[in-house]
């Protein structure tokens, strides 16, 4: 398994293209600059299978429709945020003077979902609310990586002052879900550089209480 990180949009959101030896791909959080994402997919000669969202804030959904309509892809999101795709107040774009929406998702995840298999990709689905109510992290054990969205960053954690955010809930999610992963697990966040679970356990100032 390999992945390509594209940093897109005015708030420098990380979109990930995960792909296997058969050149099949999963697109995670296509946040903006859909043409750039599509150009990368085409240059790598990939066949996308699905779009996965860690959550539905506007900076993570801005290119969803462009990408999935280009390739006719299913879209996965947690049920708690299904209506955020069409609600500019809930997804936050209204407060930043924008009008960013996406069409409804075809697949809704719930708190009872523990795994997700698409093609050769087998994810552990980790519900990690706190940054937003329906935040999900996707752990790919075979690749030793977790796509954490805006839950956990290198040296930081997600903001909790937006709609439905709660710092206590986020810290609980990080402790009970993410910090239980092997320390060598690569953390692929929604913003900033990659890190590892071990590095964050050792040095993240927000996690000192654990």
């Amino acid at each position: 398994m390999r992945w390509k990180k594209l940093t897109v949009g005015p708030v420098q959101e990380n979109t990930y293209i995960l792909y296997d030896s058969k050149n099949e791909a999963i697109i995670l959080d296509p946040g903006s600059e859909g043409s750039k994402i599509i150009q990368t997919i085409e240059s790598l000669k990939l066949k996308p299978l699905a779009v996965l969202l860690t959550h539905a804030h506007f900076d993570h959904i801005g290119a969803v429709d462009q990408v999935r309509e280009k390739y006719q892809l299913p879209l996965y999101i947690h049920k708690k945020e299904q209506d955020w795709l069409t609600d500019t107040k809930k997804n936050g774009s209204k407060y930043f003077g924008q009008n960013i929406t996406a069409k409804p998702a075809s697949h809704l995840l719930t708190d009872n979902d523990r795994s997700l298999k698409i093609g050769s990709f087998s994810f552990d689905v980790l519900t990690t609310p706190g940054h937003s109510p329906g935040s999900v992290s996707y752990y790919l054990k075979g690749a030793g990586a977790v796509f954490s969205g805006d839950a956990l960053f290198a040296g930081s954690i997600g903001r909790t002052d937006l709609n439905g955010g709660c710092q206590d809930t986020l810290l609980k999610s990080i402790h009970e879900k993410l910090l239980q992963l092997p320390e060598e697990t690569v953390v692929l966040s929604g913003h900033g550089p990659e890190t590892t679970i071990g590095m964050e356990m050792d040095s993240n100032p927000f996690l000192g209480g654990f």
Side-chain angles (χ1 to χ4, degrees), residues 19-162:
Y19 57 103
D20 63 13
S21 60
K22 297 186 292 184
N23 280 359
E24 292 184 331
I26 302 291
I27 304 163
L28 292 108
D29 288 351
S32 186
E33 300 184 55
S35 297
K36 178 179 178 179
I37 297 170
I38 290 169
Q39 183 179 28
T40 302
I41 293 169
E42 295 296 312
S43 67
L44 293 172
K45 297 180 170 56
L46 302 178
K47 178 185 177 183
L49 302 180
V51 175
L52 305 186
L53 295 179
T54 60
H55 64 295
H57 279 145
F58 72 95
D59 53 321
H60 290 252
I61 68 170
V64 164
D65 284 350
Q66 186 176 354
V67 170
R68 67 168 163 170
E69 287 171 9
K70 167 71 175 178
Y71 299 105
Q72 296 298 298
L73 302 176
L75 175 67
Y76 292 76
I77 191 173
H78 195 284
K79 183 178 181 180
K80 290 179 181 177
E81 294 183 18
Q82 61 178 318
D83 60 339
W84 289 36
L85 295 171
T86 56
D87 189 325
T88 60
K89 183 180 290 187
K90 289 183 176 179
N91 70 39
S93 62
K94 178 179 179 179
Y95 301 108
F96 291 88
Q98 300 182 64
N99 182 32
I100 296 175
T101 60
K103 294 177 182 177
S106 52
H107 293 75
L108 300 177
L109 302 170
T110 72
D111 290 347
N112 293 323
D113 288 312
R114 296 290 182 266
S115 62
L116 179 63
K117 183 169 177 58
I118 304 171
S120 66
F121 304 92
S122 294
F123 298 94
D124 288 349
V125 178
L126 309 176
T127 52
T128 47
H131 173 66
S132 67
S135 286
V136 173
S137 297
Y138 299 95
Y139 174 49
L140 197 63
K141 184 176 181 180
V146 62
F147 298 89
S148 65
D150 289 0
L152 179 64
F153 301 124
S156 189
I157 62 174
R159 62 188 294 178
T160 56
D161 59 336
L162 299 175

Side-chain angles (χ1 to χ4, degrees), residues 129-202:
H131 173 66
S132 67
S135 286
V136 173
S137 297
Y138 299 95
Y139 174 49
L140 197 63
K141 184 176 181 180
V146 62
F147 298 89
S148 65
D150 289 0
L152 179 64
F153 301 124
S156 189
I157 62 174
R159 62 188 294 178
T160 56
D161 59 336
L162 299 175
N163 180 47
C166 176
Q167 183 166 308
D168 288 344
T169 300
L170 177 57
L171 290 171
K172 182 179 180 181
S173 294
I174 293 170
H175 175 61
E176 294 184 353
K177 301 292 180 67
L178 297 177
L179 298 189
Q180 302 305 312
L181 300 175
E183 291 188 22
E184 64 272 17
T185 302
V186 177
V187 180
L188 300 167
S189 304
H191 303 271
E194 64 183 53
T195 182
T196 67
I197 293 295
M199 290 175 63
E200 297 315 303
M201 292 175 70
D202 291 341

